[in-house]
Amino acid sequence: MTLQYALLNDTSWQNQAQWQTPDTPFMSFAFWQILTDTGAIGEQAGWLPIFILVHRVADYADSANSVTDSAADTALQPVAVMPVFIKGHHRGEFVFDHSWAEAYARYGIDYYPRLVTSVPYTPITGQRFWLAAGEHLNDDILKTAIAGVDDVAQQVGASSWHGLFVTPELASIATTSMPTEIDIELAIAAQESGVESTPIEMPILERQGCQFLWQNKNLSQDSQPFADFDGFLATLRAKKRKTIRAERRKVAEQGISCQRKCGNDITDEDWQAFYHCYVMTYAIRGQKPYLTLDFFMALADRLPEHIMLAQAMDVDGEIIASSLFLYDKADSDKADNNATLYGRYWGALGEYDSLHFELCYYQGLEFAIEQGLKSFDPGTQGEHKLVRGFIPTTTHSLHRIYDPRFVPAIGDFCARDREHMAQYRQQAFEALPFNADNMPDFDINH
């Protein structure tokens, strides 16, 4: 059996196989259809999708024998699909390569278009392949998909490919099974002579970042999940416990109360109020929001079982801030049952002391504990998460540069960046607020 790829610009492939349940709601077919239906992805949004279908082809012993149409159909077995976007901008990515674009511009070379594999507007680590039932990600699947990426890059004249917030598994497969460096002189000579490079000649470069994730396990009690929020606070040093309790009191002292709603309990009025708050987050920066009210209403309609909305009300009961979360069901069929809460969208109608911490973190922590979720990913950036018990965790991205003249400098940048991020994670780890009995072990590779 051999693997081949096909380039598709629609989702007809979804009906060609039984597909595994993805590891996050953000890779569900429903979520991607919502992005499409509401214009969040597509040519107008600057996120033009191509789907690379990897399929298995049967090898016939006697090539002279004719194959009936029905046999030919069964000979092509879908294995995996990887999305790739053709982009002329960097918006909604959260892994920044602006300096690379500037370097290209200094030499009068266009960095655009570029290719991106990610979940748009979503800095969440997760699978970047849809896998058919019974399939497991391996180097053959990845190499075939990357050959498809190279094909797209050649067709559209892309400068590069970027796989963002990929799993550690995918990063490991990529960096162990594909070249991470090349003979630059030979590659440049081949480019200048017009000789086409083979698909694997350009290296895969890895960047690493840092996000802060909370784990629902009490290390002083055999890593059992917390019974309640106070149980979590008990694992922190006294000064940090006092700070968090003071922040929660400040919210109450401003006459603000909070509540949480899930799924179909969230009304149309709640969504209108949420969107008003969400838009304000962008308005204060003079920007337009990435997502429309229609997107969120579709989310409520098609994925209600994955939605939690935290709301803050003033003394008159008017909603003044909202924070929207998605989550895995604790009894989901994820392979490791590592059900997670994802903090995604927030906004407030004004400035309120400590309200962001309450609505985006403490309400999320309480919900994760109540639901028995294993972890809480509150979103990208923010060292303020660190002192509230969110553990520094490595993120991975993969990059393929098609002009060999830029590979040495960008490769060096990635190597230095990985070293810097490892040092940063260790320093951040040392600042965690846990007491001695609950301090997790530092793993430089995690």
Side-chain angles (χ1 to χ4, degrees), residues 269-291:
E269 291 75 18
D270 292 327
W271 284 113
Q272 294 281 351
F274 159 77
Y275 195 70
H276 188 194
C277 296
Y278 168 74
V279 168
M280 287 297 294
T281 301
Y282 292 87
I284 59 177
R285 303 179 193 141
Q287 299 174 352
K288 291 180 62 176
Y290 291 136
L291 303 170

Side-chain angles (χ1 to χ4, degrees), residues 273-285 309-312 319-324 344-352 355-356 359-360:
F274 159 77
Y275 195 70
H276 188 194
C277 296
Y278 168 74
V279 168
M280 287 297 294
T281 301
Y282 292 87
I284 59 177
R285 303 179 193 141
L309 179 66
Q311 299 171 311
I319 296 172
I320 57 172
S322 297
S323 186
L324 184 64
R344 291 305 305 119
Y345 316 99
W346 136 271
L349 303 184
E351 294 287 339
Y352 303 93
L355 184 56
H356 179 263
L359 217 57
C360 294

Side-chain angles (χ1 to χ4, degrees), residues 92-109:
E93 295 180 19
F94 304 96
V95 176
F96 304 110
D97 59 332
H98 300 91
S99 61
W100 303 358
E102 291 167 359
Y104 271 62
R106 285 196 294 272
Y107 286 91
I109 302 172

Side-chain angles (χ1 to χ4, degrees), residues 70-324:
S70 130
D73 289 341
T74 59
L76 300 180
Q77 177 187 351
V79 172
V81 172
M82 186 177 79
V84 175
F85 292 97
I86 302 170
K87 295 195 65 186
H89 58 74
H90 305 258
R91 294 189 296 275
E93 295 180 19
F94 304 96
V95 176
F96 304 110
D97 59 332
H98 300 91
S99 61
W100 303 358
E102 291 167 359
Y104 271 62
R106 285 196 294 272
Y107 286 91
I109 302 172
D110 199 349
Y111 192 61
Y112 309 97
R114 48 198 280 282
L115 305 180
V116 175
T117 292
S118 73
V119 179
Y121 318 107
T122 307
I124 300 292
T125 292
Q127 296 172 346
R128 294 297 173 258
F129 283 86
W130 289 283
L131 293 171
E135 300 292 345
H136 300 280
L137 185 62
N138 57 42
D139 54 354
D140 289 334
I141 292 174
L142 178 61
K143 287 179 179 179
T144 304
I146 294 298
V149 171
D150 295 339
D151 190 349
V152 176
Q154 185 176 29
Q155 290 185 40
V156 304
S159 68
S160 51
W161 168 78
H162 310 268
L164 309 182
F165 295 98
V166 303
T167 61
E169 176 193 18
L170 177 53
S172 177
I173 292 172
T175 55
T176 56
S177 66
M178 302 192 70
T180 55
E181 57 184 21
I182 57 172
D183 185 326
I184 298 300
E185 292 184 0
L186 182 62
I188 291 176
Q191 183 187 58
E192 291 177 345
S193 66
V195 178
E196 292 187 2
S197 298
T198 60
I200 64 170
E201 281 185 345
M202 290 298 105
I204 292 288
L205 307 175
E206 181 188 6
R207 292 182 68 182
Q208 294 182 356
C210 181
Q211 289 187 339
F212 301 94
L213 275 62
W214 178 83
Q215 300 293 328
N216 186 8
K217 57 184 181 182
N218 189 333
L219 295 183
S220 63
Q221 296 184 8
D222 298 323
S223 297
Q224 291 297 308
F226 297 109
D228 52 33
F229 191 80
D230 284 338
F232 160 65
L233 288 183
T235 67
L236 308 182
R237 295 193 295 272
K239 183 177 180 180
K240 299 303 181 182
R241 291 198 300 271
K242 183 178 179 180
T243 297
I244 290 175
R245 286 175 173 143
E247 288 174 343
R248 304 199 80 177
R249 279 197 304 272
K250 288 177 183 177
V251 173
E253 289 167 357
Q254 295 171 85
I256 298 172
S257 59
C258 298
Q259 67 179 8
R260 297 189 294 271
K261 292 184 177 182
C262 292
N264 294 325
D265 291 335
I266 305 172
T267 67
D268 288 350
E269 291 75 18
D270 292 327
W271 284 113
Q272 294 281 351
F274 159 77
Y275 195 70
H276 188 194
C277 296
Y278 168 74
V279 168
M280 287 297 294
T281 301
Y282 292 87
I284 59 177
R285 303 179 193 141
Q287 299 174 352
K288 291 180 62 176
Y290 291 136
L291 303 170
T292 65
L293 177 59
D294 286 344
F295 169 85
F296 292 106
M297 297 299 286
L299 203 63
D301 181 55
R302 302 182 204 176
L303 290 172
E305 70 277 15
H306 292 288
I307 296 173
M308 188 272 280
L309 179 66
Q311 299 171 311
M313 287 80 64
D314 62 17
V315 291
D316 298 319
E318 298 294 325
I319 296 172
I320 57 172
S322 297
S323 186
L324 184 64

